[in-house]
Every structure is written in C-alpha cells, then in structure tokens.
C-alpha cells in the first residue's frame, strides 16, 4: 500500500506554473519541450473550453501536472473525448498517490467540460506509464493506431515519374 503525502490537492494550472511544468517534464524526458508547453498554455488561455490543465500540489509546490485537449466530433464521434497530451509527476513524489489524485482531477474537469471518456497514447516501451494508466482504469481501446513516417512518404514521392 502506497502511503499518500499528508497534504495534497488538485487545482487548475496556469502560465504561472509553466517553469515547474517544464522542469518536471524535463526530468522525465531528458529534454525541454518549452515550445510545446508555451503553445498549450496559450491555446488553453484563448480557448479554455477546449483544454483541461490540472496540477497536483503538495506543501504549496506543484508536484505534477496533466494536460488534455477536448476533441468534439472527431472522425464522426458525437461525444467529446479528452486526450491526454502531457502528464508528469516529479520523481520524488511518485508512489504517494499524487498521480491518482491528478487523474481524478483531470477526469472530473473533463467530465464537466462534456467529455465522455479520456484517452491517451503510450509507447509500449514505457512500462512505468503503462502500469500507471492500468492502475487508473485505462484499458486498450478498440482501435488501431496507424503511422506512416514522413521520410517514407518523401522517398515514395521522389520515386514517382
């Protein structure tokens, strides 16, 4: 049984949290995705109904974040879905229930914004994230993710007469 950190809560994250979000993500990925997060925060400010941005705070410090887009009517779906674009909990705060609290906040906020489900993409080579999503009731979706590398498209176009 994981012992939760005594005092933690969820709240919306804002541009004031940008540096901490980048730091948590950089520690996890090994690179800075500053431009991505700046664009996400700007888009969320411009269209708040299209994004969910939740943070988990312990001891008055942002310890984790989740960012999702709300998609309405994609590929013939009638209902809105929330798609998790970014998720992170600082390493020293993991295994204390903060990730679960974070996902609870994201799901509730997405529900309030009209989403009927939450989806994400996870690399099969990331067992920690797969395990986390499994413990938060995510299941394999009944669809295939298809991909075509842009280099392959370019090579095919160059071969055409």
């Amino acid at each position: 049984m994981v012992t939760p950190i005594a005092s933690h809560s969820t709240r919306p994250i804002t541009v004031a949290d940008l540096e901490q979000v980048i730091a948590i993500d950089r520690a996890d990925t090994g690179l800075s995705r500053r431009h991505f997060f700046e664009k996400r925060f700007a888009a969320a400010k411009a269209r708040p109904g299209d994004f969910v941005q939740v943070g988990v705070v312990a001891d008055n410090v942002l310890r984790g974040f989740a960012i999702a887009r709300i998609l309405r009517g994609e590929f013939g779906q009638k209902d809105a879905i929330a798609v998790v674009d970014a998720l992170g909990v600082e390493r020293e705060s993991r295994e204390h229930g903060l990730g679960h609290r974070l996902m609870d906040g994201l799901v509730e906020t997405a529900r309030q914004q009209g989403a009927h489900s939450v989806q994400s993409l996870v690399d099969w080579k990331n067992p920690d994230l797969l395990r986390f999503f499994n413990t938060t009731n995510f299941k394999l979706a009944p669809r295939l993710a298809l991909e075509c590398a842009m280099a392959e498209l370019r090579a095919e176009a160059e071969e055409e007469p």
Side-chain angles (χ1 to χ4, degrees), residues 65-151:
F65 67 90
I67 300 173
R69 301 173 274 135
I70 303 292
L71 300 179
R72 293 174 174 82
E74 294 291 319
F75 295 103
Q77 294 179 7
K78 296 179 184 176
D79 296 319
I81 60 170
V83 178
V84 179
D85 287 331
L87 173 69
V89 173
E90 64 182 7
R91 289 189 188 279
E92 53 274 9
S93 296
R94 293 180 184 173
E95 303 299 326
H96 293 283
L98 274 65
H100 289 267
R101 182 77 179 257
L102 185 62
M103 289 305 294
D104 289 346
L106 182 131
V107 167
E108 183 54 35
T109 304
R111 182 180 295 124
Q112 292 170 2
Q113 289 180 223
H116 77 280
S117 69
V118 179
Q119 300 177 0
S120 191
L121 296 174
V122 180
D123 188 330
W124 284 110
K125 298 174 189 168
N126 191 337
D128 293 337
L129 190 54
L130 286 167
R131 191 176 315 106
F132 171 74
F133 275 120
N134 185 53
T135 66
T136 56
N137 296 318
F138 277 72
K139 306 291 181 234
L140 285 175
R143 68 181 73 58
L144 292 173
L146 303 174
E147 181 178 273
C148 181
M150 298 305 287

